[in-house]
Amino acid sequence: MIKPIIKTLWWEKERLYIIDQRQLPDTEKIIELKNTRDVWKAIRNLSIRGAPAIGCVAAYGAALSSLKIKTKDKKRFTETVNKDIGYLQTARPTAYNLFYTLARMKKILEDSGGVSVAELKQRLVKEAQAIYDEDIECSYKIGKNGAALVRDGMNILTHCNAGALATSGYGTALAVFFAAKVERKRFHVFVDETRPVLQGARLTAWELKKTKIPYTLICDNMAGYLMKQGKIDMVITGADRIAKNGDTANKIGTYSLAVLAKHQKVDFYIAAPYSTFDFSIKDGSFIPIEERDGDEVRKMQGKLIAPSDAPVYNPSFDITPARFIKGFITENGIIKRPGGWLRG
Ligand code: MRU
């Protein structure tokens, strides 16, 4: 079993715990999510965030829902868990992992003919645990596969947080750095602060500091200047949803980086597990983009930095067309173009 770099979320004695990411880096506060409503709220308010982590916590949320139900009537039990799954699916719209893991939990209910309510509860817990275990294993493999791209002396730029905190505990883009460090490669990471809610500054910088990986924090609008100066050798980010043709939704600002990287001839990679690929949609135009509260832009860390009534547009993600992406670093190898393997 792979040990998490950071304990982002965990299940212990039928209880679900997370590290409250809104409070990082100042405070490492652990909170218990006691019911489906708590899980929904924690996803919505970014206490837990990052596509794979959202998927894992939602699966545990469905298991938690099942354990709270008193009835032994199978039909009523199944209806209630299904209703809670439907509710959890509304927590955030973009990250595909949420829909992927909840579909797996739903399937356990569908395939439960002849099974008692008590046994079904155990199966749901087991499935959530399997989703968590698979996620950490995928992250580890992503790290190993991606580390092959890291060469001594490289400067690599990342955006948002695709680290241990965004997954079950090992990361995607940051997994590449963790694995490259284990392989004793010498490299340096530039971290975009990632406005509006600063996942880069608050979370990625915190993870890199904790793991002793050399990094420099920059404002989002500095990346172009750095690339122009030849200071960036490669860009690696995570993903929230990848369409069948490779178009990728990730944190707002990712598209601008990819365009800059193309212009400056810098390789741009996406690191993500297969659970982030939505093969049901043919391209990025079908990916729903979450719009969040305007106060995230008007304020910084709760403090107003603009008129309190400033009109705001706050899309949380953007779509990077596949043509800007050099490859997808996955648990099965690096996909150079849809359908073709570079390494594996
Ligand atoms: O709004 P967030 O913090 O959930 O957005 C997270 C990202 O955009 C990450 O880059 C993405 O989920 C990949 S995480 C491995």
Side-chain angles (χ1 to χ4, degrees):
M1 190 63 232
I2 294 137
K3 208 170 151 298
I5 300 253
I6 290 154
K7 273 179 89 176
T8 305
L9 68 136
W10 69 99
W11 179 262
E12 200 177 303
K13 298 193 178 117
E14 301 194 340
R15 285 164 176 246
L16 178 59
Y17 301 92
I18 62 166
I19 181 164
D20 185 353
Q21 300 191 28
R22 289 174 312 169
Q23 312 221 20
L24 288 171
D26 300 333
T27 315
E28 286 181 46
K29 188 175 174 203
I30 306 304
I31 51 174
E32 183 185 352
L33 307 180
K34 295 193 170 133
N35 49 47
T36 324
R37 171 90 189 135
D38 281 356
V39 174
W40 187 93
K41 266 173 56 186
I43 296 172
R44 174 61 69 100
N45 71 20
L46 308 183
S47 290
I48 183 119
R49 31 67 50 206
I54 291 171
C56 290
V57 88
Y60 279 129
L64 202 56
S65 142
S66 78
L67 296 180
K68 303 276 169 199
I69 300 169
K70 297 269 184 293
T71 185
K72 289 195 171 61
D73 179 85
K74 180 93 165 278
K75 191 163 170 287
R76 276 181 51 205
F77 171 82
T78 307
E79 277 169 9
T80 312
V81 182
N82 262 324
K83 201 165 134 253
D84 280 351
I85 288 177
Y87 170 62
L88 287 167
Q89 282 172 333
T90 66
R92 291 186 78 188
T94 307
Y96 186 62
N97 304 61
L98 176 68
F99 304 95
Y100 166 81
T101 64
L102 289 176
R104 278 179 61 169
M105 299 304 279
K106 237 175 150 53
K107 182 96 174 53
I108 297 293
L109 293 173
E110 281 163 20
D111 296 347
S112 69
V115 166
S116 70
V117 166
E119 165 66 16
L120 190 45
K121 287 181 181 179
Q122 289 320 306
R123 285 194 186 183
L124 287 164
V125 171
K126 216 172 137 201
E127 184 68 357
Q129 191 63 48
I131 285 168
Y132 174 95
D133 292 345
E134 282 166 33
D135 185 69
I136 199 154
E137 204 173 315
C138 286
S139 295
Y140 184 74
K141 288 180 179 163
I142 287 170
K144 283 209 111 176
N145 291 332
L149 299 168
V150 179
R151 293 187 307 275
D152 276 342
M154 263 190 164
N155 285 294
I156 308 166
L157 176 70
T158 191
H159 189 66
C160 192
N161 172 266
L165 290 166
T167 63
S168 51
Y170 203 86
T172 57
L174 265 57
V176 173
F177 308 149
F178 301 147
K181 182 167 195 271
V182 171
E183 292 175 17
R184 297 184 182 279
K185 293 191 175 166
R186 287 177 297 101
F187 59 97
H188 168 268
V189 182
F190 280 104
V191 179
D192 271 353
E193 63 174 353
T194 318
R195 272 283 281 155
V197 293
L198 304 172
Q199 290 95 329
R202 294 188 303 107
L203 309 176
T204 298
W206 181 76
E207 285 194 34
L208 295 177
K209 178 180 163 149
K210 236 182 170 24
T211 50
K212 298 190 171 58
I213 292 175
Y215 74 92
T216 303
L217 181 63
I218 59 168
C219 296
D220 300 324
N221 50 6
M222 296 171 184
Y225 181 57
L226 265 76
M227 283 192 211
K228 182 94 188 341
Q229 290 175 298
K231 287 189 172 161
I232 310 280
D233 302 300
M234 179 163 65
V235 181
I236 309 180
T237 76
D240 285 86
R241 193 186 292 225
I242 302 166
K244 196 174 177 183
N245 73 339
D247 290 354
T248 296
N250 191 51
K251 181 52 56 195
I252 192 77
T254 304
Y255 167 63
S256 326
L257 285 181
V259 173
L260 279 169
K262 184 89 172 172
H263 185 70
Q264 297 294 340
K265 299 190 172 44
V266 171
D267 290 343
F268 181 95
Y269 285 93
I270 295 284
Y274 263 53
S275 50
T276 305
F277 285 74
D278 181 356
F279 295 109
S280 75
I281 51 171
K282 73 172 173 30
D283 62 49
S285 66
F286 294 91
I287 301 177
I289 298 294
E290 176 182 12
E291 271 184 51
R292 293 187 62 86
D293 197 296
D295 269 355
E296 287 186 351
V297 177
R298 285 183 209 102
K299 295 180 177 175
M300 216 150 142
Q301 301 290 80
K303 191 178 175 310
L304 265 178
I305 54 161
S308 60
D309 60 352
V312 161
Y313 176 45
N314 185 17
S316 197
F317 302 96
D318 57 27
I319 312 282
T320 299
R323 67 178 182 281
F324 292 113
I325 301 165
K326 168 113 185 196
F328 295 89
I329 308 165
T330 77
E331 64 271 36
N332 294 323
I334 300 175
I335 308 172
K336 185 73 179 297
R337 59 191 146 73
W341 299 102
L342 185 64
R343 288 188 187 81

